[in-house]
Amino acid sequence: MTYTTNFLKSQPSTEKPKQEEETLISEEDDEFLSSLPKEKGWRTPHLFLFQGFWCQPKEIRAIISTQNHFKAQDSDVVLATIPKSGTTWLKALTFAIVNRNKFSVQPDNHHHPLLTHNPHELVPFLEYKLYADCNRLPDLSLLPSPRLVATHVPFGALPSSTKTSKCKIVYICRNPFDTFVSIWHYLNKVRPESLGPLPIEEAFDMYCRGVIGYGPYWDHMLGYWRESLETPNKVLFLKYEDMKVAERNQLKKLGEFLGFPFTEEEEKEGRIQDISSLCSFQNMKDLEVNKKGKGAISGFENKDLFRKAEIGDWMNYFTPSMFERLSNVMEEKLEGSGLKLTAC
């Protein structure tokens, strides 16, 4: 069985010429943006405080469009993440689990969609792909069922239908130390030359103050964490580190939650391991589709989505004072929540 992404081809392209990408929206001429608090941005001149979290101008427009128009179905799956916390991996794993009866995950299947498509093509972002063009609404009837979509927005900013429907929400978070290093590397790669490089010291200060796209990250995590405690059949909260250390058990949990549990026969036949191997970081990174081309997310290079995916890489960048500051911030912000995050 072949897989097509006609549903994406029908969507407006989000790839922009470099100059237009750098300019984005004329902030000074936008009355709405001028009414919002703003700070220096990581990839754009400014970030704006919108609905309690920090956003880039184009993202705000797309989020508003998503909130106004996206109607979740009971069978939908929404993958929610903080940027650079395992988003690409979660998309690949979820797609493989949900569609394993359509597309064999056995090693001898050389035609699996994940071998020829970037995971972001198979599980499109609401704000970066489907609703990126505010002047044109997507035809979601073209999305394969069950519909798999993704978002970076906090729980409170999700379209109301995702909360009132029976759709499933899967959230993954990563320890804030590695997340910072990963996002700093990534945004420096895609940061316009006109803005110059963002020194790690300056970026770290912004991060600790919560001034980061979709941040503060502690609010982002706590929103989904609390919902997962209140409605565990609705929201599944996963930790990146748990996925890396005990992937088999975590994949069983994910399959069960999504309504696609692994049978005893599948377990004996090694289907969980097949999915793990197919979606492994090294396998994904080595695929031609992920080494070349761009556009899986906006107009960025696909290869920039894959760096190290290691636990504890932050130790190569943090000074003792940086570790102490972020540790104190997270201890204060997560106090009493029951959410425990480890640095390594």
Side-chain angles (χ1 to χ4, degrees):
M1 180 183 294
T2 58
Y3 188 87
T4 64
T5 50
N6 288 332
F7 67 94
L8 291 180
K9 295 175 182 177
S10 69
Q11 309 308 325
S13 172
T14 57
E15 196 167 321
K16 301 294 184 182
K18 187 172 184 179
Q19 183 59 42
E20 183 177 349
E21 183 180 328
E22 293 180 4
T23 305
L24 297 176
I25 293 176
S26 177
E27 299 168 5
E28 296 78 7
D29 297 332
D30 192 294
E31 184 176 350
F32 173 65
L33 288 179
S34 66
S35 70
L36 300 176
K38 68 179 181 180
E39 289 264 6
K40 179 180 178 179
W42 292 58
R43 189 173 63 82
T44 53
H46 295 101
L47 285 173
F48 294 84
L49 190 61
F50 170 71
Q51 296 184 359
F53 61 99
W54 294 97
C55 250
Q56 298 172 166
K58 281 195 68 178
E59 294 168 347
I60 292 175
R61 299 301 185 197
I63 291 167
I64 292 174
S65 181
T66 302
Q67 292 172 339
N68 289 339
H69 301 292
F70 179 69
K71 304 300 180 187
Q73 299 176 356
D74 289 345
S75 59
D76 286 351
V77 175
V78 179
L79 305 182
T81 63
I82 287 172
K84 308 310 293 180
S85 62
T87 306
T88 307
W89 189 30
L90 180 62
K91 285 187 176 187
L93 291 170
T94 302
F95 181 89
I97 289 173
V98 169
N99 291 288
R100 67 183 186 276
N101 289 329
K102 296 179 184 177
F103 310 108
S104 171
V105 294
Q106 291 179 288
D108 60 355
N109 178 16
H110 303 297
H111 303 287
H112 194 283
L114 281 167
L115 300 178
T116 54
H117 298 76
N118 183 279
H120 295 284
E121 295 180 281
L122 303 175
V123 185
F125 273 113
L126 291 170
E127 62 269 19
Y128 288 117
K129 180 65 72 170
L130 298 176
Y131 292 91
D133 186 342
C134 301
N135 297 314
R136 179 181 173 188
L137 295 180
D139 182 1
L140 299 189
S141 67
L142 297 174
L143 283 172
S145 181
R147 303 190 308 187
L148 307 180
V149 296
T151 186
H152 280 324
V153 303
F155 184 82
L158 290 174
S160 59
S161 61
T162 61
K163 303 168 187 177
T164 57
S165 70
K166 295 180 181 179
C167 79
K168 300 282 190 176
I169 300 172
V170 180
Y171 184 81
I172 189 171
C173 76
R174 188 180 187 184
N175 83 73
F177 300 84
D178 280 330
T179 302
F180 166 73
V181 171
S182 185
I183 195 70
W184 175 69
H185 274 288
Y186 178 71
L187 290 182
N188 261 329
K189 289 179 181 178
V190 301
R191 184 175 164 92
E193 293 181 6
S194 60
L195 296 180
L198 182 62
I200 191 169
E201 297 82 6
E202 184 178 352
F204 184 73
D205 178 69
M206 296 164 67
Y207 186 79
C208 289
R209 292 188 291 111
V211 183
I212 175 71
Y214 302 101
Y217 279 0
W218 46 84
D219 289 342
H220 200 291
M221 291 185 286
L222 286 174
Y224 286 96
W225 170 250
R226 288 166 178 152
E227 287 299 323
S228 73
L229 297 179
E230 293 182 12
T231 57
N233 293 326
K234 172 77 172 179
V235 180
L236 176 65
F237 192 99
L238 299 172
K239 297 179 181 179
Y240 181 88
E241 290 72 26
D242 291 346
M243 295 284 288
K244 293 281 283 187
V245 174
E247 186 175 0
R248 184 175 183 277
N249 289 337
Q250 294 296 305
L251 292 188
K252 288 181 64 176
K253 178 195 290 189
L254 179 57
E256 186 75 31
F257 175 79
L258 294 171
F260 293 85
F262 291 95
T263 65
E264 289 186 13
E265 183 179 358
E266 284 183 308
E267 289 193 54
K268 292 178 182 177
E269 293 176 347
R271 293 295 172 267
I272 297 178
Q273 182 56 48
D274 289 341
I275 289 177
S276 175
S277 299
L278 173 66
C279 302
S280 71
F281 173 79
Q282 199 58 53
N283 188 55
M284 291 280 102
K285 185 176 183 178
D286 290 343
L287 293 173
E288 284 300 311
V289 66
N290 296 325
K291 290 195 294 185
K292 300 179 180 179
K294 61 182 180 179
I297 299 181
S298 297
F300 305 137
E301 298 286 340
N302 291 351
K303 64 181 181 181
D304 289 338
L305 297 171
F306 301 87
R307 195 177 72 88
K308 285 188 175 182
E310 294 178 355
I311 299 175
D313 186 46
W314 63 270
M315 289 184 281
N316 296 315
Y317 299 89
F318 272 52
T319 63
S321 62
M322 291 171 67
F323 174 77
E324 182 179 7
R325 181 180 179 185
L326 186 53
S327 295
N328 290 338
V329 168
M330 298 311 298
E331 182 178 354
E332 174 191 346
K333 300 301 182 181
L334 301 183
E335 183 178 9
S337 68
L339 176 58
K340 305 295 182 182
L341 299 173
T342 57
C344 57

